[in-house]
Amino acid sequence: HWFFARRGFVPFPYAGVPAGRVAVLAASFNPPHAGHLSLLRALSRQYEEVHAVVSCNPAKRYAASPADRRSLLAVMAQSAGLRNVKVVVHEGYVWRYAHATGADCLYRGIRSWAADGATERTLELLNWVGPLLLAPAARPLRTRFLGADPRLAHVSSSAVRRALAAGDTQRAGGMLPAGFASAVAQMYAPVDVRG
């Protein structure tokens, strides 16, 4: 259990987030939701630039394209007044993108160690070992984990998609920034393939 200890964990309200120049928050943002925006808001207060990286796993199928998810998150960030948040799509290792931008740190959101711990620690390990093996001149970047705002700990992209699949746009809307329920519902509407 030592590996899943709270090393690098910054609980809400994020008093332990240091000030810096560039932060990178990577996720699939499939779709982006209120929890993501909460994390971006906290990082934008401490960093000059925040890069929200819409990551793409070629082994997965997504209901919305990476470009559509990027556009949606960019509008959400702009609507929230987060002027120093840049939203990009990156295919490949996130640590490579972070190094190219001169990032001080990589960030990941975490609802709880029970729900997300194993997956997040695996990604942290990949972001640590990757530079050592594939780019020896690059130093590994630290990964910090931002704990969910307790009011949003139930929110996840998969919960939003499940609510939309069940036709419950009201429940989905409760997990999204105000005013974005219809845009997300339209983007994630089931496709009728019955010819």
Side-chain angles (χ1 to χ4, degrees):
H1 289 55
W2 66 269
F3 190 65
F4 296 105
R6 294 179 172 227
R7 180 176 47 87
F9 180 70
V10 182
F12 181 82
Y14 315 120
V17 173
R21 199 177 72 70
V22 180
V24 170
L25 175 69
S28 64
F29 299 106
N30 183 38
H33 52 67
H36 293 133
L37 208 53
S38 173
L39 302 176
L40 289 170
R41 195 174 284 115
L43 291 173
S44 74
R45 287 191 295 263
Q46 295 298 107
Y47 285 88
E48 293 172 29
E49 293 177 29
V50 178
H51 295 243
V53 178
V54 177
S55 53
C56 312
N57 181 342
K60 288 185 177 181
R61 292 190 62 201
Y62 299 99
S65 74
D68 287 343
R69 290 180 275 142
R70 188 210 66 77
S71 296
L72 182 61
L73 183 58
V75 172
M76 286 179 178
Q78 183 180 18
S79 295
L82 305 179
R83 305 287 179 240
N84 61 337
V85 173
K86 176 181 180 180
V87 184
V88 300
V89 173
H90 180 73
E91 295 181 24
Y93 297 118
V94 172
W95 61 263
R96 286 187 192 261
Y97 177 85
H99 274 283
T101 63
D104 300 309
C105 190
L106 290 166
Y107 283 91
R108 300 283 300 173
I110 189 166
R111 291 169 292 154
S112 72
W113 288 111
D116 304 325
T119 300
E120 293 303 328
R121 287 296 189 198
T122 300
L123 290 171
E124 176 188 28
L125 184 61
L126 292 173
N127 287 329
W128 183 260
V129 173
L132 295 174
L133 296 177
L134 302 174
R139 66 172 173 73
L141 289 172
R142 180 171 186 184
T143 299
R144 287 191 177 97
F145 302 95
L146 300 176
D149 175 335
R151 297 168 295 183
L152 301 172
H154 67 286
V155 175
S156 70
S157 293
S158 54
V160 172
R161 290 192 313 271
R162 280 192 302 272
L164 292 172
D168 192 345
T169 54
Q170 183 175 355
R171 184 166 49 115
M175 295 183 272
L176 299 167
F180 284 92
S182 64
V184 173
Q186 184 176 353
M187 189 176 288
Y188 284 84
V191 177
D192 187 355
V193 293
R194 290 179 285 163

